[in-house]
Amino acid sequence: MGMRQETAEAEAGSPPRGGRVFCVTEDPLLLDECARVAAVAGVAFRAVPTLGEAMREADDGAPLLLGADVEEAPTRARPHAVLVGSERDRGRLWRRATELGVEHVAELPEAAGWLVEFLGRRLTRTDEGVVVGVIGGCGGAGASTTAVLLAAAANARGDSVLLVDGDRLGGGLELCLSEERGSGLAWPDLASASGRIHPPQLEAALPRAFGVPYVSWPASARSAKSVGPEAVAGVLDAGRSAFELVVIDVGRGGAGIEEFGWASDRLLLVVPGRLRAAVAAAQLLREIPPVPTGLVVRGRLGEGVDAERLAEAVGCPLAAHVPELRSADAVSEEGRLPELARRRPVRRATNSILEGLLGSPARASARIGASMPRHARVLQGVR
């Protein structure tokens, strides 16, 4: 369905779902674009002439759309603020994002679909879990291993967690979780799902490995059919409601990023400890969704290279350095990969990531990417 058709349907029928989005810009074309996005998202739209007026009228939880032409700076941090502009504003857009400390950036109309989902989620959800997507910054980076270890570590420290296999062509994440597939639903069983999935029913219907419920593609030589966006959205929405944390092994393919990366609240980009891998990851960083992104460096570091330098080269903050995992391949082949999460160096690294994702409100400033927009970091780190 195209953007124009979605807008027409929203304007013709459904009332706003609740809440209001505030927009500050003097650009009439950008204002119209933002109003159309709000209509599609089904939320009330309020255009205000100045940032000061918006800050007075909007509560802290209300989404705030700031045009790239806005010269004022917010007097306090706004976690639901989005800097908006068009392609012609690109240079000014990223520069202003850095100056204002806004963590979400949207170029319209290209990012209209993402902004519709962002507004819909922010204005309709209550207490929901965090969805973090794990993406390999280059081939063989170890994103699947990182996702499994993160989920296992979260479970070990008492967080409720769901592990999702988002890599349809990855051969089935379940192979490294258990020697035998547990009884429960897999992606093919959920492919026909549409509408809302009852969260407790999803939790009860999933297989578990080492105490962690998971949704996997079957480990089969048969062709894996893709799952439609309604089914993906239904599973992830139910996961948000049922679990404190949803960890997705996104994969590096465009389909996985399109289906699962854009549904993530946070992203982790995984790279080996080599400068060449950081260069590849910096290129990928430009293609992934505009949400806060942290770098996970895995394995032995190259000569003269440290994790902080790699993060600077990629252009996003360092989330953790996971040390070299001896016997990881063998343990994975035996279906015992989650056991590695018990090792002390792994616990130290994964707990650092988890504290950033699930830490208390008092530690919000330490959350991954919270201090600067992800795209602005790209421009700072890669010249």
Side-chain angles (χ1 to χ4, degrees), residues 269-292:
L269 198 58
V270 184
V271 299
R274 303 188 300 274
L275 194 56
R276 184 177 177 183
V279 173
Q283 297 300 319
L284 180 62
L285 195 62
R286 298 176 182 272
E287 307 299 325
I288 60 179
V291 298

Side-chain angles (χ1 to χ4, degrees), residues 297-317:
V297 178
R298 283 201 62 230
R300 185 178 301 174
L301 296 170
E303 186 175 352
V305 175
D306 59 36
E308 288 78 9
R309 183 185 174 193
L310 289 173
E312 182 180 350
V314 173
C316 65

Side-chain angles (χ1 to χ4, degrees), residues 56-76:
R56 286 192 297 273
E57 290 193 29
D59 59 50
D60 288 339
L64 182 62
L65 306 182
L66 297 177
D69 58 310
V70 176
E71 296 297 332
E72 303 168 89
T75 56
R76 61 183 184 275

Side-chain angles (χ1 to χ4, degrees), residues 39-52:
V40 175
V43 299
F45 182 79
R46 171 91 162 88
V48 289
T50 66
L51 178 59

Side-chain angles (χ1 to χ4, degrees), residues 216-276:
S216 177
W217 292 100
S220 169
R222 292 181 299 173
S223 176
K225 296 182 179 180
S226 62
V227 174
E230 285 190 7
V232 171
V235 170
L236 295 184
D237 283 347
R240 276 192 176 92
S241 297
F243 301 91
E244 294 172 273
L245 178 66
V246 178
V247 180
I248 308 175
D249 174 21
V250 174
R252 296 187 73 245
I257 293 175
E258 182 69 25
E259 293 171 349
F260 296 96
W262 286 90
S264 301
D265 302 312
R266 297 285 190 273
L267 291 173
L268 294 173
L269 198 58
V270 184
V271 299
R274 303 188 300 274
L275 194 56
R276 184 177 177 183

Side-chain angles (χ1 to χ4, degrees), residues 94-95 98-99 286 311-316 372-383:
W94 306 131
R95 185 174 63 253
T98 304
E99 294 168 355
R286 298 176 182 272
E312 182 180 350
V314 173
C316 65
M372 192 173 293
R374 200 267 303 161
H375 284 95
R377 289 184 180 273
V378 175
L379 295 183
Q380 283 192 332
V382 182
R383 303 286 181 185

Side-chain angles (χ1 to χ4, degrees), residues 190-208:
L190 297 163
S192 60
S194 61
R196 190 172 186 275
I197 299 174
H198 192 46
Q201 289 181 339
L202 176 69
E203 183 177 7
L206 295 177
R208 291 176 180 258

